[in-house]
Amino acid sequence: MTSQPIIIPRAEHPISRASISPNALKVLYRLHNAGFRACLVGGGVRDLLLGHEPKDFDVATDAHPEAIHKLFRNCRLIGRRFRLAHVQFGGEIIEVATFRAAQGEAEEAARSTGIQFNANGRLLRDNVYGTIEEDARRRDFTVNALYYDITNFTVLDYTGGMADLKTGLLRLIGEPEQRCREDPVRMLRAVRFAAKLGFRLHPDTEAPLLTLGRLLEEIPPARLFDEVLKLFLGGYGVETFELLRHYRLFGHLFPATERCLSRQQQHFPKTLLVRALANTDGRLAEGKSVTPAFLFGALLWEPLQDRSKQLLTAGLDEADAMQTAADEVLSAQLKHITLPRRFSLPMQEIWSLQSRLTITTGKRPLRLLAHPRFRAAYDFLLLRAEADPELASLAQWWTHFMEMDEAARKQVLEPAAKPKPRRRRSRRPRQQSSTEAG
Ligand code: ATP
Ligand code: MG
């Protein structure tokens, strides 16, 4: 089955070449001049049509990867799931993908040519080239399947994406449950785009999200790590988090955190986590840096607290309880989502500095100031203090302390309380018991 796309002429849409990255234009034109079809597609087209600045530009073409490779010296072929070309211009990468078919009418053909599904219907490999229309139909949402054609500057719409874009509707292409089974990450993408674009989910798209969340547990942890960063470090973390919980997806990503949240819901309408996400969104809006170490530190803080309290009750001292809890919470979480050590180590430092921040006498506060993770740990304390009034005065103390010059700092520090002299145990020789002597 082939059908004609809706063609939106240049005069009827707002995309101008001036708003497209010059590098993306170079790629489009070089492909076009070599006789290939070349279109901008995906988030770039979607965002330009909405008047937003695109995060990146993706190109789709009928040129095969090898042909793309020949056209661009600055090009690498990549891809585990399918082969893509990355054309690199300094810091900017233009992703160039060959049109491919996967679903619907192409599925039968595809099965015999190498597409594999697992028992839940998840697509394990697809690398079957196809027509532009097939390429449109294997994409996730209608608003992500609009093509800007460099030949004549028209927008091509094969799936009704223009109408959905106008009404703010996020709609999976094809049969929604099947599309979520093929690739459960599409459920996370649905939530991410709904939050970012402020779109509603179409009721048919929404339905499988509420029932298929468990399929996320089959996704390789490394892919989920990438997705989690997009979910929470994309500038709309708070809305995204609330939608993930609403659709009961969050618990399949962070099960221990979900258990704490559902238990605490009555007492803590605004947890540290929501504050951390709001703070992150604010920083991103101001162009400041954010780090996965801090994000995961906040995501796992409640489970950490819970577990270390249990261990304290079981008789461990504070430091041991904290360290053991940190190890346990992290290793349980790593079964679901990868957290590379370059982030998990600083995360654990942020955690362990929390107890060192409670010491405000002696030389230790000065030493702590020089710690490479001090600033992050202090920011973390501020968030905790917002969520817990008992910490307000400690947070204030540190804020003042940081504002002081060195002399004032030395003055304000009282000498540390002298440790109580240890009582010497009298060393009586142990009496051998009768059994031992036996
Ligand atoms: P962003 O603004 O986050 O870059 P995007 O829509 O461009 O949003 P990408 O992850 O860059 O998202 O993917 C580019 C395009 O590839 C998407 O717009 C969509 O058409 C298609 N796509 C990406 N991931 C999937 C998927 N899991 N299933 C189907 N199509 C996908
Ligand atoms: Mg993109």
Side-chain angles (χ1 to χ4, degrees), residues 214-433:
R214 68 191 148 76
L215 298 183
L216 288 171
E217 297 182 24
E218 291 180 19
I219 302 297
R223 186 169 177 215
L224 284 184
F225 173 69
D226 294 342
E227 284 303 321
V228 161
L229 296 192
K230 289 186 200 162
L231 287 166
F232 295 124
L233 302 183
Y236 302 85
V238 174
E239 292 92 330
T240 304
F241 170 71
E242 273 153 14
L243 285 175
L244 284 174
R245 292 209 67 222
H246 172 79
Y247 289 113
R248 293 183 232 128
L249 298 173
F250 184 76
H252 297 288
L253 301 174
F254 293 94
T257 312
E258 175 61 37
R259 282 194 293 277
C260 293
L261 287 168
S262 43
R263 212 179 317 132
Q264 293 172 350
Q265 213 147 33
Q266 304 87 335
H267 318 295
F268 292 97
K270 280 256 184 268
T271 57
L272 172 115
L273 176 51
V274 177
R275 287 172 201 276
L277 293 171
N279 188 276
T280 303
D281 291 344
R283 289 182 67 92
L284 287 164
E286 292 170 32
K288 292 188 187 160
S289 68
V290 293
T291 157
F294 196 91
L295 170 71
F296 276 75
L299 278 160
L300 299 175
W301 179 249
E302 294 295 337
L304 176 76
Q305 292 302 100
D306 259 25
R307 186 62 189 135
S308 67
K309 272 183 211 141
Q310 283 171 3
L311 292 167
L312 272 176
T313 316
L316 266 64
D317 71 30
E318 210 170 306
D320 279 351
M322 180 72 177
Q323 189 53 54
T324 309
D327 291 343
E328 287 181 14
V329 166
L330 178 61
S331 67
Q333 181 60 41
L334 289 176
K335 296 198 176 97
H336 300 267
I337 303 178
T338 304
L339 181 62
R341 281 171 74 81
R342 67 179 185 282
F343 302 125
S344 67
L345 292 179
M347 173 187 79
Q348 286 177 289
E349 277 181 313
I350 293 171
W351 285 347
S352 68
L353 289 182
Q354 296 307 305
S355 76
R356 286 176 59 186
L357 282 164
T358 60
I359 298 164
T360 55
T361 56
K363 295 224 170 66
R364 292 168 85 179
L366 282 173
R367 256 185 270 144
L368 202 52
L369 275 186
H371 192 288
R373 219 63 66 193
F374 170 78
R375 183 70 212 198
Y378 163 76
D379 287 341
F380 202 84
L381 174 66
L382 292 188
L383 282 178
R384 291 173 59 215
E386 279 179 38
D388 177 359
E390 279 182 26
L391 290 169
S393 61
L394 181 64
Q396 266 165 21
W397 187 92
W398 277 101
T399 307
H400 284 311
F401 188 64
M402 287 163 66
E403 286 162 356
M404 291 172 188
D405 62 23
E406 220 159 305
R409 279 179 192 155
K410 283 195 177 133
Q411 241 175 10
V412 82
L413 289 175
E414 296 161 25
K418 286 232 171 74
K420 282 185 197 147
R422 277 204 204 147
R423 260 206 284 145
R424 282 264 215 94
R425 281 229 209 111
S426 51
R427 295 222 171 173
R428 259 181 291 144
R430 260 203 317 151
Q431 279 176 353
Q432 281 191 336
S433 70

